[in-house]
Amino acid sequence: MTREQSQNWKHAVVTGGGGFVGSHLCTALLASGTEVTCVDDFSTGRPENVSPLLGHPGFTLIRANVAESLTVERPPDLVLHFASPASPADYLRLPLHTLETGSLGTRNALRLAHRAGARFLLASTSEVYGDPQQNPQDERYWGNVNPVGPRSVYDEAKRFGEAFTTAHAEAEGTDTGIVRLFNTYGPRMRGHDGRAVPTFIRQALAGEPLTVTGDGRQTRSLCYVDDTVRGILAAAAHGMRGPVNIGNPTELTMLELAHLVIELTGASSQIRFIDRPTDDPVVRCPDITLAGDKLGWQPRIGAEEGLRRTIDWFRATEEHTKHHADHQADHQAEQQADQQADQH
């Protein structure tokens, strides 16, 4: 296996930098000495994901919808296009926004990179493979996608983004790359975003039943966010067009995942089976041979360790939120008491 690729960038623009993966990218780039401009409209990302970065001298935050415009003060040498609703709860709620971000947003990000002579990297997804008839999925597989189903707004936005990126490289000579991200999880996920890991952890910590769709035998391959970020930056540094799969090839059934979360949280939760969503893939597993051979990349963090870290983060966040709420309630009670004292 080759050595993992790396490069020192001067200035990176990260669209969707307030999101789950995007915010981790911003953090990693800043830690490597790269100045970062984060662009996000916070339609699905969260300001608190990047609030710790606001005091960093190399960090700039621009609140904007990349489908409408994308302007930065100084040229970047790297553009990472990660803007997009990514969870079913989000893209089903924001179907047109998802399609516009994948089309117009990709166009604007490509134009920015082309004008600056920058490296451009598109965040695509394993969802371009649809409900695959090949397992594991390698980059040569064209997929099995329903273009008019409820998930199509996300699947087709990403497939179009790949086509646009490829055409821009061919027609304009833009330095482009495509990464297909498989199921990524870790700190900063939203408990109600509809994805299995945060949903199961939230339910387990609350002592609620874990809702497993269908019979729970459908599989996913879970890649911890730190590993995903390393793979993304390795693909950016290599210069390959791709697409290249970035994910963990260890498959888990959803029922296995639910039981593992119950075990790691120490919860007494039961399993409750609910209907599976339309067009929900039966299997999902990346072939990462290309990433290993070309980028020198492979995941390092197994599911149990990654889930422990994620559970610890959810616990800490829950305690912080409860402490903040209690503090606010105490403050309000003090104000009311003062007002009543004044009245008397």
Side-chain angles (χ1 to χ4, degrees):
M1 179 178 290
T2 60
R3 183 180 177 183
E4 187 169 296
Q5 298 288 313
S6 64
Q7 183 168 331
N8 294 322
W9 306 97
K10 293 180 180 179
H11 175 215
V13 171
V14 183
T15 73
F20 163 49
V21 175
S23 64
H24 282 278
L25 273 171
C26 290
T27 302
L29 285 163
L30 287 169
S32 71
T34 303
E35 294 188 4
V36 174
T37 297
C38 165
V39 185
D40 205 303
D41 65 358
F42 295 109
S43 57
T44 60
R46 297 192 295 184
E48 54 263 41
N49 286 345
V50 293
S51 59
L53 307 179
L54 292 176
H56 194 293
F59 183 74
T60 301
L61 175 62
I62 297 174
R63 186 161 190 156
N65 179 354
V66 297
E68 295 176 357
S69 64
L70 181 53
T71 304
V72 298
E73 289 188 359
R74 67 186 188 87
D77 54 351
L78 176 65
V79 176
L80 299 172
H81 183 39
F82 278 70
S84 176
S87 74
D90 289 333
Y91 60 69
L92 293 175
R93 176 174 59 89
L94 300 167
L96 297 180
H97 180 65
T98 301
L99 287 163
E100 288 166 356
T101 304
S103 54
L104 299 174
T106 301
R107 179 199 63 183
N108 291 339
L110 281 163
R111 284 178 174 175
L112 173 65
H114 180 69
R115 287 195 303 266
R119 170 80 167 146
F120 173 90
L121 196 70
L122 173 72
S124 188
T125 171
S126 60
E127 296 300 319
V128 300
Y129 299 123
D131 187 6
Q133 297 174 337
Q134 169 184 309
N135 197 48
Q137 297 87 56
D138 65 34
E139 294 84 355
R140 295 168 297 181
Y141 178 53
W142 290 357
N144 177 40
V145 177
N146 178 357
V148 293
R151 301 169 69 99
S152 65
V153 294
Y154 182 62
D155 301 356
E156 297 297 349
K158 291 298 187 180
R159 285 162 67 95
F160 179 84
E162 288 197 13
F164 207 150
T165 299
T166 302
H168 221 275
E170 293 289 342
E172 301 291 343
T174 311
D175 179 11
T176 68
I178 299 169
V179 287
R180 289 177 178 164
L181 306 184
F182 281 66
N183 302 88
T184 299
Y185 70 101
R188 302 181 194 164
M189 297 190 88
R190 291 178 291 123
H192 290 274
D193 83 352
R195 287 179 276 200
V197 169
T199 298
F200 288 168
I201 292 176
R202 171 180 56 79
Q203 291 170 334
L205 292 179
E208 300 171 356
L210 272 62
T211 49
V212 175
T213 61
D215 59 11
R217 289 188 292 180
Q218 65 273 28
T219 69
R220 297 295 182 268
S221 299
L222 305 178
C223 193
Y224 189 67
V225 65
D226 289 1
D227 284 334
T228 297
V229 166
R230 285 193 304 105
I232 292 164
L233 295 179
H238 184 275
M240 68 184 301
R241 282 195 189 178
V244 58
N245 290 337
I246 301 294
N248 192 317
T250 303
E251 277 183 280
L252 283 174
T253 69
M254 290 298 92
L255 193 55
E256 288 171 335
L257 174 61
H259 283 301
L260 183 55
V261 168
I262 291 172
E263 176 188 339
L264 294 176
T265 56
S268 57
S269 300
Q270 302 297 310
I271 301 294
R272 181 163 66 89
F273 293 96
I274 61 175
D275 291 340
R276 274 182 64 194
T278 303
D279 295 335
D280 184 48
V282 175
V283 293
R284 180 71 83 233
C285 180
D287 182 326
I288 59 170
T289 303
L290 184 61
D293 290 347
K294 297 294 185 182
L295 308 179
W297 175 86
Q298 61 180 1
R300 299 172 182 167
I301 300 170
E304 186 167 328
E305 173 60 23
L307 286 170
R308 286 187 191 277
R309 296 184 190 185
T310 309
I311 290 165
D312 287 346
W313 181 84
F314 268 87
R315 275 203 173 107
T317 304
E318 185 180 68
E319 290 170 4
H320 172 76
T321 303
K322 182 178 184 301
H323 173 77
H324 180 71
D326 290 345
H327 177 75
Q328 290 289 96
D330 290 344
H331 181 62
Q332 289 173 357
E334 289 173 1
Q335 285 183 322
Q336 290 173 356
D338 290 343
Q339 290 170 356
Q340 290 172 356
D342 290 341
Q343 290 170 3
H344 292 287

